[in-house]
Amino acid sequence: MEPVNAAIIYYSASGTVHALAQAAVEGAEKAGATVRLRKVAETLSDEVINAKPPAWAEHRDASADVALAQLDDLDWADVVLLGTPTRFGLVSSQLKAFIDGTSPLWAEGKLAGKVYSAFTASSTAHGGQESTILALSNVFYHWGGIIVPPGYTDPIQFQSGNPYGTSHVAGTGVPGDVALQAARHQARRAVDVATALKAGRAAA
Ligand SMILES: Cc1cc2nc3c(=O)[nH]c(=O)nc-3n(C[C@H](O)[C@H](O)[C@H](O)COP(=O)(O)O)c2cc1C
């Protein structure tokens, strides 16, 4: 059987979610997937970003080489992980803009039957990580997706403490070992389920 295709699609203003996405790439590759790491298009002008805290412009420049997410990346993928900063307890408008552009695939039923999972970061511990991941689940329902959360399926989950999806409190600094391991585990698990599904469908 061909390896499963995993698309890890994210938005990150100052690099936190990007770091989680990179860890997810490692986990997905370790599980045997062919992986595409993609950032969604920025909707803010350079002028606006330059007026934000310096980390925003620094991350924009540091991630200039990451390819932009396209509809084809979703079409290609067997498993999709979406990552976003928490914005007022919700998904960032940049990731939402990408999601809103998926109607053509949705209308053809091409988003259904894939495995989906989500991860996030927020400044504060109770700043809306779970509500953000659950908001993304609404999208997965509409797409007819198979949601694979990390749950407490690995010892790292009892340290990271978020069964909905990997999350990091950015106000404490950059993601450390626990968050990065949780992101690797989440991606590995999503790929494992997608692999079993692909094998089962091929056998059916
Ligand atoms: C418009 C806006 C809204 C935000 N809303 C929240 C929030 O509801 N809760 C919270 O804890 N942090 C909030 N934050 C902080 C971001 O979640 C945090 O900066 C982000 O997770 C860092 O991820 P990044 O480095 O990938 O951009 C907000 C930031 C912005 C710019």
Side-chain angles (χ1 to χ4, degrees), residues 14 17 22 36 39-40 51 61 65 70 99 102 126 129 143 146 156 164-165 204:
S14 56
V17 174
Q22 288 278 20
R36 290 185 187 176
K39 66 184 179 193
V40 298
D61 298 344
D65 288 347
Q70 310 290 341
I99 288 169
T102 63
H126 302 286
Q129 296 178 342
W143 287 352
I146 298 157
I156 195 64
Y164 300 87

Side-chain angles (χ1 to χ4, degrees), residues 11-18 56 85-89 121-124 127-128 170:
Y11 174 72
S12 182
S14 56
T16 313
V17 174
H18 171 80
W56 289 44
T86 288
R87 294 281 168 88
F88 300 119
S122 66
S123 278
T124 58

